[in-house]
Short mmCIF file of all heavy atoms in Angstrom, two decimals:
data_model
loop_
_atom_site.label_atom_id
_atom_site.label_comp_id
_atom_site.label_asym_id
_atom_site.label_seq_id
_atom_site.Cartn_x
_atom_site.Cartn_y
_atom_site.Cartn_z
N MET A 30 -17.86 13.33 2.10
CA MET A 30 -18.19 12.13 2.84
C MET A 30 -18.87 11.10 1.95
O MET A 30 -18.81 9.92 2.22
CB MET A 30 -19.10 12.49 4.01
CG MET A 30 -19.56 11.29 4.75
SD MET A 30 -19.75 11.61 6.47
CE MET A 30 -20.89 10.36 6.87
N VAL A 31 -19.50 11.54 0.92
CA VAL A 31 -20.20 10.62 0.03
C VAL A 31 -19.24 9.88 -0.90
O VAL A 31 -19.45 8.70 -1.18
CB VAL A 31 -21.26 11.39 -0.80
CG1 VAL A 31 -21.92 10.49 -1.82
CG2 VAL A 31 -22.30 12.01 0.12
N MET A 32 -18.17 10.56 -1.32
CA MET A 32 -17.25 9.94 -2.27
C MET A 32 -16.57 8.67 -1.71
O MET A 32 -16.48 7.68 -2.42
CB MET A 32 -16.19 10.96 -2.73
CG MET A 32 -16.75 12.04 -3.63
SD MET A 32 -17.53 11.39 -5.12
CE MET A 32 -16.10 10.92 -6.04
N PRO A 33 -16.10 8.65 -0.47
CA PRO A 33 -15.52 7.41 0.04
C PRO A 33 -16.54 6.27 0.10
O PRO A 33 -16.18 5.11 -0.14
CB PRO A 33 -15.04 7.78 1.45
CG PRO A 33 -14.82 9.24 1.39
CD PRO A 33 -15.86 9.77 0.46
N LEU A 34 -17.77 6.58 0.40
CA LEU A 34 -18.81 5.53 0.41
C LEU A 34 -19.04 4.98 -0.97
O LEU A 34 -19.20 3.75 -1.15
CB LEU A 34 -20.11 6.09 1.00
CG LEU A 34 -20.05 6.47 2.48
CD1 LEU A 34 -21.38 7.11 2.91
CD2 LEU A 34 -19.75 5.26 3.33
N ILE A 35 -19.05 5.86 -1.97
CA ILE A 35 -19.23 5.40 -3.35
C ILE A 35 -18.04 4.53 -3.77
O ILE A 35 -18.20 3.49 -4.39
CB ILE A 35 -19.40 6.60 -4.30
CG1 ILE A 35 -20.73 7.30 -4.01
CG2 ILE A 35 -19.34 6.16 -5.75
CD1 ILE A 35 -20.92 8.61 -4.74
N GLY A 36 -16.83 4.99 -3.41
CA GLY A 36 -15.63 4.22 -3.75
C GLY A 36 -15.62 2.85 -3.07
O GLY A 36 -15.25 1.85 -3.68
N GLY A 37 -16.06 2.80 -1.82
CA GLY A 37 -16.14 1.53 -1.12
C GLY A 37 -17.16 0.60 -1.74
O GLY A 37 -16.93 -0.60 -1.87
N ALA A 38 -18.30 1.16 -2.13
CA ALA A 38 -19.35 0.35 -2.75
C ALA A 38 -18.87 -0.21 -4.09
O ALA A 38 -19.13 -1.38 -4.41
CB ALA A 38 -20.62 1.19 -2.94
N VAL A 39 -18.18 0.60 -4.86
CA VAL A 39 -17.64 0.12 -6.15
C VAL A 39 -16.62 -0.97 -5.92
O VAL A 39 -16.61 -1.99 -6.63
CB VAL A 39 -17.05 1.30 -6.96
CG1 VAL A 39 -16.28 0.80 -8.16
CG2 VAL A 39 -18.16 2.25 -7.40
N SER A 40 -15.76 -0.80 -4.92
CA SER A 40 -14.75 -1.81 -4.62
C SER A 40 -15.39 -3.14 -4.21
O SER A 40 -14.97 -4.20 -4.67
CB SER A 40 -13.82 -1.33 -3.51
OG SER A 40 -13.09 -0.22 -3.95
N VAL A 41 -16.39 -3.07 -3.36
CA VAL A 41 -17.08 -4.29 -2.94
C VAL A 41 -17.77 -4.96 -4.13
O VAL A 41 -17.70 -6.18 -4.30
CB VAL A 41 -18.11 -4.00 -1.81
CG1 VAL A 41 -19.01 -5.18 -1.54
CG2 VAL A 41 -17.36 -3.61 -0.54
N TYR A 42 -18.39 -4.16 -4.98
CA TYR A 42 -19.04 -4.71 -6.17
C TYR A 42 -18.02 -5.42 -7.07
O TYR A 42 -18.26 -6.54 -7.53
CB TYR A 42 -19.75 -3.60 -6.96
CG TYR A 42 -20.25 -4.06 -8.30
CD1 TYR A 42 -21.40 -4.85 -8.39
CD2 TYR A 42 -19.59 -3.73 -9.47
CE1 TYR A 42 -21.86 -5.30 -9.62
CE2 TYR A 42 -20.04 -4.17 -10.70
CZ TYR A 42 -21.17 -4.95 -10.78
OH TYR A 42 -21.63 -5.39 -11.99
N LEU A 43 -16.87 -4.77 -7.29
CA LEU A 43 -15.85 -5.38 -8.14
C LEU A 43 -15.28 -6.65 -7.51
O LEU A 43 -14.99 -7.62 -8.22
CB LEU A 43 -14.74 -4.38 -8.43
CG LEU A 43 -15.15 -3.22 -9.33
CD1 LEU A 43 -14.01 -2.21 -9.42
CD2 LEU A 43 -15.56 -3.70 -10.70
N LEU A 44 -15.11 -6.66 -6.19
CA LEU A 44 -14.60 -7.86 -5.52
C LEU A 44 -15.56 -9.04 -5.67
O LEU A 44 -15.12 -10.19 -5.75
CB LEU A 44 -14.35 -7.58 -4.04
CG LEU A 44 -13.06 -6.84 -3.72
CD1 LEU A 44 -13.06 -6.42 -2.25
CD2 LEU A 44 -11.85 -7.69 -4.04
N THR A 45 -16.86 -8.78 -5.70
CA THR A 45 -17.82 -9.87 -5.86
C THR A 45 -17.79 -10.44 -7.28
O THR A 45 -18.25 -11.55 -7.48
CB THR A 45 -19.25 -9.39 -5.54
OG1 THR A 45 -19.63 -8.36 -6.45
CG2 THR A 45 -19.35 -8.91 -4.11
N LYS A 46 -17.22 -9.71 -8.23
CA LYS A 46 -17.17 -10.17 -9.61
C LYS A 46 -15.89 -10.91 -9.95
O LYS A 46 -15.75 -11.42 -11.06
CB LYS A 46 -17.33 -8.98 -10.57
CG LYS A 46 -18.63 -8.24 -10.40
CD LYS A 46 -19.81 -9.17 -10.65
CE LYS A 46 -21.11 -8.46 -10.45
NZ LYS A 46 -22.25 -9.35 -10.51
N LEU A 47 -14.93 -10.95 -9.02
CA LEU A 47 -13.67 -11.63 -9.28
C LEU A 47 -13.84 -13.14 -9.20
O LEU A 47 -14.69 -13.65 -8.47
CB LEU A 47 -12.61 -11.20 -8.27
CG LEU A 47 -12.06 -9.79 -8.41
CD1 LEU A 47 -11.10 -9.50 -7.28
CD2 LEU A 47 -11.35 -9.62 -9.74
N GLY A 48 -13.00 -13.85 -9.92
CA GLY A 48 -13.01 -15.30 -9.87
C GLY A 48 -12.30 -15.83 -8.63
O GLY A 48 -11.63 -15.08 -7.89
N ASP A 49 -12.42 -17.12 -8.41
CA ASP A 49 -11.84 -17.73 -7.23
C ASP A 49 -10.32 -17.63 -7.21
O ASP A 49 -9.71 -17.35 -6.18
CB ASP A 49 -12.24 -19.21 -7.14
CG ASP A 49 -13.73 -19.38 -6.84
OD1 ASP A 49 -14.32 -18.42 -6.29
OD2 ASP A 49 -14.28 -20.45 -7.14
N VAL A 50 -9.69 -17.83 -8.36
CA VAL A 50 -8.22 -17.79 -8.43
C VAL A 50 -7.73 -16.38 -8.11
O VAL A 50 -6.76 -16.20 -7.38
CB VAL A 50 -7.72 -18.26 -9.81
CG1 VAL A 50 -6.22 -18.08 -9.92
CG2 VAL A 50 -8.10 -19.70 -10.05
N ALA A 51 -8.39 -15.36 -8.63
CA ALA A 51 -7.99 -13.98 -8.37
C ALA A 51 -8.13 -13.65 -6.89
O ALA A 51 -7.27 -12.97 -6.32
CB ALA A 51 -8.82 -13.02 -9.21
N LEU A 52 -9.17 -14.12 -6.27
CA LEU A 52 -9.36 -13.88 -4.82
C LEU A 52 -8.30 -14.59 -4.00
O LEU A 52 -7.82 -14.05 -3.02
CB LEU A 52 -10.76 -14.31 -4.39
CG LEU A 52 -11.91 -13.42 -4.88
CD1 LEU A 52 -13.24 -14.05 -4.54
CD2 LEU A 52 -11.80 -12.04 -4.27
N GLN A 53 -7.93 -15.80 -4.42
CA GLN A 53 -6.89 -16.54 -3.69
C GLN A 53 -5.54 -15.85 -3.83
O GLN A 53 -4.81 -15.70 -2.84
CB GLN A 53 -6.80 -17.98 -4.21
CG GLN A 53 -7.99 -18.82 -3.83
CD GLN A 53 -7.99 -20.17 -4.53
OE1 GLN A 53 -7.18 -20.43 -5.41
NE2 GLN A 53 -8.92 -21.02 -4.14
N ILE A 54 -5.21 -15.41 -5.04
CA ILE A 54 -3.94 -14.71 -5.25
C ILE A 54 -3.93 -13.40 -4.45
O ILE A 54 -2.94 -13.05 -3.82
CB ILE A 54 -3.70 -14.46 -6.75
CG1 ILE A 54 -3.44 -15.79 -7.45
CG2 ILE A 54 -2.53 -13.49 -6.97
CD1 ILE A 54 -3.39 -15.69 -8.96
N GLY A 55 -5.03 -12.68 -4.46
CA GLY A 55 -5.13 -11.45 -3.69
C GLY A 55 -5.00 -11.69 -2.20
O GLY A 55 -4.37 -10.92 -1.48
N GLY A 56 -5.58 -12.78 -1.72
CA GLY A 56 -5.47 -13.12 -0.30
C GLY A 56 -4.04 -13.45 0.09
O GLY A 56 -3.57 -13.05 1.16
N VAL A 57 -3.33 -14.18 -0.77
CA VAL A 57 -1.93 -14.50 -0.50
C VAL A 57 -1.10 -13.23 -0.51
O VAL A 57 -0.23 -13.03 0.35
CB VAL A 57 -1.39 -15.51 -1.54
CG1 VAL A 57 0.11 -15.66 -1.46
CG2 VAL A 57 -2.07 -16.87 -1.35
N TRP A 58 -1.36 -12.33 -1.45
CA TRP A 58 -0.64 -11.06 -1.53
C TRP A 58 -0.89 -10.22 -0.28
O TRP A 58 0.03 -9.60 0.26
CB TRP A 58 -1.07 -10.33 -2.80
CG TRP A 58 -0.26 -9.10 -3.08
CD1 TRP A 58 -0.65 -7.81 -2.93
CD2 TRP A 58 1.08 -9.05 -3.57
NE1 TRP A 58 0.36 -6.97 -3.29
CE2 TRP A 58 1.44 -7.70 -3.69
CE3 TRP A 58 2.00 -10.03 -3.92
CZ2 TRP A 58 2.69 -7.29 -4.15
CZ3 TRP A 58 3.25 -9.61 -4.38
CH2 TRP A 58 3.57 -8.27 -4.49
N LEU A 59 -2.13 -10.18 0.18
CA LEU A 59 -2.48 -9.44 1.39
C LEU A 59 -1.78 -10.04 2.60
O LEU A 59 -1.21 -9.32 3.43
CB LEU A 59 -3.99 -9.44 1.59
CG LEU A 59 -4.51 -8.77 2.86
CD1 LEU A 59 -4.20 -7.27 2.83
CD2 LEU A 59 -5.99 -9.02 3.02
N ALA A 60 -1.77 -11.36 2.70
CA ALA A 60 -1.11 -12.01 3.83
C ALA A 60 0.39 -11.74 3.82
O ALA A 60 0.99 -11.50 4.87
CB ALA A 60 -1.39 -13.52 3.79
N ALA A 61 1.00 -11.77 2.64
CA ALA A 61 2.43 -11.47 2.54
C ALA A 61 2.71 -10.04 2.99
O ALA A 61 3.71 -9.76 3.65
CB ALA A 61 2.92 -11.68 1.11
N GLY A 62 1.83 -9.11 2.66
CA GLY A 62 1.99 -7.73 3.07
C GLY A 62 1.88 -7.56 4.56
O GLY A 62 2.63 -6.80 5.19
N VAL A 63 0.96 -8.28 5.19
CA VAL A 63 0.81 -8.20 6.64
C VAL A 63 2.03 -8.80 7.34
O VAL A 63 2.53 -8.23 8.33
CB VAL A 63 -0.50 -8.91 7.09
CG1 VAL A 63 -0.56 -9.05 8.59
CG2 VAL A 63 -1.70 -8.15 6.56
N VAL A 64 2.56 -9.89 6.83
CA VAL A 64 3.76 -10.49 7.40
C VAL A 64 4.94 -9.54 7.25
O VAL A 64 5.72 -9.34 8.19
CB VAL A 64 4.05 -11.86 6.75
CG1 VAL A 64 5.44 -12.37 7.11
CG2 VAL A 64 2.99 -12.87 7.13
N TYR A 65 5.08 -8.92 6.08
CA TYR A 65 6.17 -7.97 5.85
C TYR A 65 6.06 -6.79 6.81
O TYR A 65 7.07 -6.35 7.39
CB TYR A 65 6.13 -7.50 4.40
CG TYR A 65 7.21 -6.51 4.04
CD1 TYR A 65 8.56 -6.91 4.01
CD2 TYR A 65 6.91 -5.21 3.72
CE1 TYR A 65 9.55 -6.01 3.69
CE2 TYR A 65 7.91 -4.31 3.40
CZ TYR A 65 9.22 -4.72 3.37
OH TYR A 65 10.21 -3.83 3.05
N LEU A 66 4.85 -6.28 7.01
CA LEU A 66 4.65 -5.17 7.94
C LEU A 66 4.97 -5.60 9.37
O LEU A 66 5.55 -4.84 10.13
CB LEU A 66 3.23 -4.64 7.86
CG LEU A 66 2.89 -3.44 8.73
CD1 LEU A 66 3.76 -2.24 8.34
CD2 LEU A 66 1.42 -3.10 8.62
N ALA A 67 4.61 -6.81 9.73
CA ALA A 67 4.91 -7.31 11.07
C ALA A 67 6.43 -7.40 11.28
O ALA A 67 6.93 -7.08 12.36
CB ALA A 67 4.27 -8.68 11.29
N VAL A 68 7.17 -7.81 10.26
CA VAL A 68 8.62 -7.88 10.37
C VAL A 68 9.21 -6.47 10.48
O VAL A 68 10.08 -6.23 11.31
CB VAL A 68 9.22 -8.63 9.16
CG1 VAL A 68 10.74 -8.49 9.12
CG2 VAL A 68 8.82 -10.09 9.19
N LEU A 69 8.73 -5.53 9.66
CA LEU A 69 9.24 -4.16 9.71
C LEU A 69 9.00 -3.50 11.06
O LEU A 69 9.82 -2.72 11.53
CB LEU A 69 8.57 -3.31 8.63
CG LEU A 69 9.12 -3.39 7.22
CD1 LEU A 69 8.31 -2.48 6.29
CD2 LEU A 69 10.58 -3.03 7.17
N THR A 70 7.87 -3.79 11.67
CA THR A 70 7.52 -3.14 12.93
C THR A 70 7.87 -4.00 14.15
O THR A 70 7.45 -3.67 15.26
CB THR A 70 6.02 -2.82 12.95
OG1 THR A 70 5.28 -4.03 12.82
CG2 THR A 70 5.65 -1.85 11.85
N LYS A 71 8.63 -5.06 13.91
CA LYS A 71 9.05 -5.98 14.98
C LYS A 71 7.84 -6.44 15.79
O LYS A 71 7.76 -6.24 17.01
CB LYS A 71 10.10 -5.34 15.86
CG LYS A 71 11.36 -4.97 15.11
CD LYS A 71 12.52 -4.74 16.03
CE LYS A 71 13.73 -4.28 15.27
NZ LYS A 71 14.35 -5.26 14.44
N GLY A 72 6.90 -7.05 15.10
CA GLY A 72 5.71 -7.57 15.76
C GLY A 72 4.70 -6.50 16.13
O GLY A 72 4.00 -6.63 17.12
N PHE A 73 4.66 -5.44 15.36
CA PHE A 73 3.73 -4.32 15.56
C PHE A 73 3.99 -3.57 16.85
O PHE A 73 3.11 -2.95 17.43
CB PHE A 73 2.26 -4.78 15.49
CG PHE A 73 1.93 -5.43 14.17
CD1 PHE A 73 1.73 -6.80 14.09
CD2 PHE A 73 1.80 -4.67 13.04
CE1 PHE A 73 1.43 -7.40 12.88
CE2 PHE A 73 1.49 -5.27 11.82
CZ PHE A 73 1.30 -6.63 11.74
N ARG A 74 5.24 -3.63 17.33
CA ARG A 74 5.60 -2.90 18.56
C ARG A 74 6.18 -1.52 18.23
O ARG A 74 6.22 -0.66 19.09
CB ARG A 74 6.59 -3.68 19.38
CG ARG A 74 5.94 -4.88 20.07
CD ARG A 74 6.96 -5.61 20.87
NE ARG A 74 7.92 -6.20 19.93
CZ ARG A 74 8.45 -7.41 20.06
NH1 ARG A 74 8.16 -8.13 21.08
NH2 ARG A 74 9.28 -7.86 19.15
N ARG A 75 6.68 -1.33 17.03
CA ARG A 75 7.20 -0.04 16.58
C ARG A 75 6.21 0.56 15.59
O ARG A 75 5.45 -0.16 14.96
CB ARG A 75 8.57 -0.23 15.89
CG ARG A 75 9.62 -0.69 16.84
CD ARG A 75 10.99 -0.83 16.22
NE ARG A 75 11.09 -0.39 14.83
CZ ARG A 75 12.10 -0.64 14.03
NH1 ARG A 75 13.11 -1.34 14.46
NH2 ARG A 75 12.12 -0.22 12.80
N PRO A 76 6.23 1.87 15.41
CA PRO A 76 5.34 2.48 14.43
C PRO A 76 5.71 2.07 13.01
O PRO A 76 6.88 1.82 12.71
CB PRO A 76 5.51 3.97 14.63
CG PRO A 76 6.76 4.15 15.41
CD PRO A 76 7.01 2.87 16.14
N ALA A 77 4.73 2.02 12.16
CA ALA A 77 4.96 1.67 10.77
C ALA A 77 5.74 2.79 10.09
O ALA A 77 5.56 3.96 10.43
CB ALA A 77 3.63 1.44 10.06
N PRO A 78 6.60 2.45 9.15
CA PRO A 78 7.33 3.50 8.45
C PRO A 78 6.39 4.37 7.63
O PRO A 78 5.38 3.89 7.09
CB PRO A 78 8.30 2.73 7.55
CG PRO A 78 7.83 1.34 7.53
CD PRO A 78 6.96 1.13 8.71
N GLU A 79 6.72 5.66 7.58
CA GLU A 79 5.89 6.59 6.82
C GLU A 79 6.53 6.90 5.49
O GLU A 79 7.75 7.00 5.39
CB GLU A 79 5.69 7.87 7.61
CG GLU A 79 4.90 7.69 8.86
CD GLU A 79 4.68 9.00 9.59
OE1 GLU A 79 4.88 10.07 8.99
OE2 GLU A 79 4.30 8.95 10.77
N MET A 80 5.71 7.09 4.48
CA MET A 80 6.20 7.44 3.16
C MET A 80 6.21 8.96 3.07
O MET A 80 5.22 9.62 3.36
CB MET A 80 5.31 6.87 2.07
CG MET A 80 5.79 7.18 0.68
SD MET A 80 4.72 6.52 -0.59
CE MET A 80 4.97 4.79 -0.37
N THR A 81 7.35 9.51 2.69
CA THR A 81 7.43 10.96 2.51
C THR A 81 7.83 11.23 1.07
O THR A 81 8.53 10.45 0.43
CB THR A 81 8.47 11.59 3.45
OG1 THR A 81 9.74 11.01 3.18
CG2 THR A 81 8.11 11.36 4.90
N PHE A 82 7.38 12.35 0.58
CA PHE A 82 7.67 12.73 -0.80
C PHE A 82 8.57 13.97 -0.85
O PHE A 82 8.67 14.63 -1.86
CB PHE A 82 6.37 12.99 -1.55
CG PHE A 82 5.55 11.77 -1.71
CD1 PHE A 82 4.46 11.55 -0.88
CD2 PHE A 82 5.87 10.81 -2.63
CE1 PHE A 82 3.69 10.41 -1.02
CE2 PHE A 82 5.11 9.66 -2.76
CZ PHE A 82 4.03 9.46 -1.96
N GLU A 83 9.23 14.27 0.25
CA GLU A 83 10.14 15.40 0.29
C GLU A 83 11.48 14.99 -0.29
O GLU A 83 11.99 13.91 0.01
CB GLU A 83 10.31 15.90 1.72
CG GLU A 83 9.03 16.40 2.34
CD GLU A 83 9.21 16.73 3.80
OE1 GLU A 83 10.34 16.63 4.30
OE2 GLU A 83 8.21 17.09 4.43
N ASP A 84 12.06 15.86 -1.08
CA ASP A 84 13.35 15.59 -1.67
C ASP A 84 14.41 16.21 -0.78
O ASP A 84 14.54 17.42 -0.72
CB ASP A 84 13.41 16.15 -3.08
CG ASP A 84 14.67 15.70 -3.81
OD1 ASP A 84 15.35 14.79 -3.30
OD2 ASP A 84 14.98 16.25 -4.87
N ASP A 85 15.17 15.40 -0.09
CA ASP A 85 16.16 15.89 0.86
C ASP A 85 17.45 16.34 0.17
O ASP A 85 18.27 17.03 0.76
CB ASP A 85 16.49 14.83 1.90
CG ASP A 85 15.31 14.53 2.80
OD1 ASP A 85 14.45 15.41 2.94
OD2 ASP A 85 15.27 13.44 3.38
N THR A 86 17.66 15.90 -1.06
CA THR A 86 18.89 16.26 -1.75
C THR A 86 18.63 17.44 -2.67
O THR A 86 17.64 17.51 -3.37
CB THR A 86 19.40 15.07 -2.58
OG1 THR A 86 18.41 14.69 -3.53
CG2 THR A 86 19.72 13.89 -1.69
N ALA A 87 19.55 18.36 -2.66
CA ALA A 87 19.41 19.53 -3.54
C ALA A 87 19.90 19.18 -4.93
O ALA A 87 20.90 18.47 -5.11
CB ALA A 87 20.22 20.69 -2.97
N ALA A 88 19.21 19.67 -5.91
CA ALA A 88 19.58 19.42 -7.29
C ALA A 88 20.64 20.43 -7.70
O ALA A 88 20.34 21.45 -8.32
CB ALA A 88 18.36 19.48 -8.19
N THR A 89 21.89 20.18 -7.34
CA THR A 89 22.96 21.13 -7.61
C THR A 89 23.79 20.70 -8.81
O THR A 89 24.59 21.48 -9.32
CB THR A 89 23.87 21.29 -6.40
OG1 THR A 89 24.38 20.00 -6.04
CG2 THR A 89 23.11 21.90 -5.23
N ASP A 90 23.64 19.46 -9.26
CA ASP A 90 24.42 19.00 -10.41
C ASP A 90 23.83 19.60 -11.67
O ASP A 90 22.64 19.52 -11.95
CB ASP A 90 24.38 17.48 -10.50
CG ASP A 90 25.06 16.82 -9.31
OD1 ASP A 90 25.91 17.47 -8.69
OD2 ASP A 90 24.69 15.66 -9.01
N LYS A 91 24.71 20.19 -12.47
CA LYS A 91 24.28 20.79 -13.74
C LYS A 91 24.60 19.83 -14.86
O LYS A 91 25.68 19.24 -14.90
CB LYS A 91 24.96 22.13 -13.96
CG LYS A 91 24.52 23.17 -12.94
CD LYS A 91 25.17 24.50 -13.24
CE LYS A 91 24.71 25.54 -12.23
NZ LYS A 91 25.34 26.83 -12.45
N VAL A 92 23.69 19.71 -15.74
CA VAL A 92 23.88 18.85 -16.91
C VAL A 92 24.34 19.72 -18.05
O VAL A 92 23.69 20.70 -18.42
CB VAL A 92 22.59 18.10 -17.30
CG1 VAL A 92 22.81 17.28 -18.54
CG2 VAL A 92 22.11 17.27 -16.14
N THR A 93 25.47 19.38 -18.62
CA THR A 93 25.98 20.15 -19.77
C THR A 93 25.95 19.23 -20.97
O THR A 93 26.30 18.06 -20.92
CB THR A 93 27.40 20.66 -19.49
OG1 THR A 93 28.24 19.54 -19.20
CG2 THR A 93 27.42 21.64 -18.35
N ALA A 94 25.57 19.82 -22.07
CA ALA A 94 25.48 19.04 -23.31
C ALA A 94 26.70 19.23 -24.17
O ALA A 94 27.41 20.17 -24.12
CB ALA A 94 24.24 19.44 -24.10
#
């Protein structure tokens, strides 16, 4: 429970050290991400897509030298 608090504190500290241009670019990037998510979820009415790391394809191809 302590580690997330430390990570959050470090993030807030680093954000306070950024310049104005970096904060503006980050804000635009964040806004673009929210708009993209809104489009993917059709106005936040559908669940957000989940990222999976399962490999659905079997590695059956053999490489011969």
